[in-house]
Amino acid sequence: YPTVFRDSVREVELKGEGYFSVAKNAGIPFIVSSSGIRTKVYGTEFNVRSYSGEPVHVTLVKGSVSVGCEKEGVEYRLVPGENACFGEGRPEITQVDVRRFTAWKEGSFYYKNESLEKIMSDLQRWYNFKAFYEAMELKNLRFELWVDRNCDFQTIVDLLTATNKIAIKI
């Protein structure tokens, strides 16, 4: 992103995850581009999650945004508490607990009724390891977890194994 926006548009490109708090300025729109998804901002707070090999998520915390795939040219307006998940075709827009998508900026992992596969995907990225499953059905087990991102990995292993649903070997 530029250090100073000089044109008639404020535009940034994102790879990874970013939380934005944008002041309203009708004369100079703010746009976030990420993996072919454009988020047009109307003065708001929102999160964009765009990691390689995963669907892009745009989660609105406050205000208003419209989102759309650059190829299609169709925009969808979100209201606070909605998440647009861009996989194949039209985005899936659902009401969500925004903490699931914004806890990272407060230094936490937050999961509520989340699959082990999704939890492990995030943990692999954060702690730099590779997970292997002895049985594929384990990926679909659901967990709740709220823990500081700066804790050591063993703490998280202990919390997950305390459920008696799984065993984890390091």
Side-chain angles (χ1 to χ4, degrees):
Y1 63 91
T3 55
V4 176
F5 294 105
R6 297 176 196 251
D7 297 327
S8 59
V9 67
R10 300 172 290 170
E11 187 165 1
V12 298
E13 185 168 329
L14 174 71
K15 292 179 184 174
E17 191 160 13
Y19 186 88
F20 298 86
S21 181
V22 180
K24 186 175 185 174
N25 184 339
I28 305 175
F30 188 89
I31 297 170
V32 177
S33 295
S34 186
S35 300
I37 305 302
R38 289 174 57 88
T39 304
K40 193 180 298 180
V41 181
Y42 302 102
T44 188
E45 289 186 36
F46 65 102
N47 193 76
V48 177
R49 179 184 177 99
S50 177
Y51 290 109
S52 179
E54 293 183 13
V56 174
H57 289 268
V58 178
T59 309
L60 183 59
V61 177
K62 292 183 201 174
S64 180
V65 299
S66 63
V67 295
C69 184
E70 291 175 349
K71 293 181 203 172
E72 294 175 2
V74 178
E75 291 185 354
Y76 304 89
R77 195 79 173 232
L78 300 182
V79 298
E82 285 187 331
N83 176 72
C85 177
F86 289 86
E88 297 295 321
R90 287 185 65 195
E92 180 181 350
I93 298 175
T94 56
Q95 280 290 123
V96 296
D97 180 345
V98 296
R99 289 179 294 184
R100 167 63 188 96
F101 296 92
T102 62
W104 68 270
K105 74 180 193 70
E106 304 298 328
S108 298
F109 289 110
Y110 176 82
Y111 304 98
K112 189 169 187 172
N113 194 30
E114 192 66 66
S115 72
L116 180 61
E117 181 177 34
K118 178 64 188 129
I119 293 170
M120 293 306 275
S121 174
D122 289 350
L123 295 176
Q124 287 177 97
R125 188 178 303 109
W126 186 254
Y127 290 103
N128 194 25
F129 70 93
K130 180 81 173 138
F132 299 94
Y133 300 87
E134 287 185 5
M136 291 300 117
E137 61 270 12
L138 294 173
K139 291 180 175 186
N140 298 319
L141 291 175
R142 318 269 319 156
F143 293 89
E144 292 187 16
L145 178 67
W146 193 349
V147 66
D148 189 298
R149 285 175 89 94
N150 293 316
C151 72
D152 62 65
F153 182 62
Q154 187 61 50
T155 300
I156 296 173
V157 168
D158 293 344
L159 289 168
L160 290 171
T161 57
T163 66
N164 293 321
K165 291 183 177 183
I166 59 172
I168 298 175
K169 295 178 190 173
I170 298 175

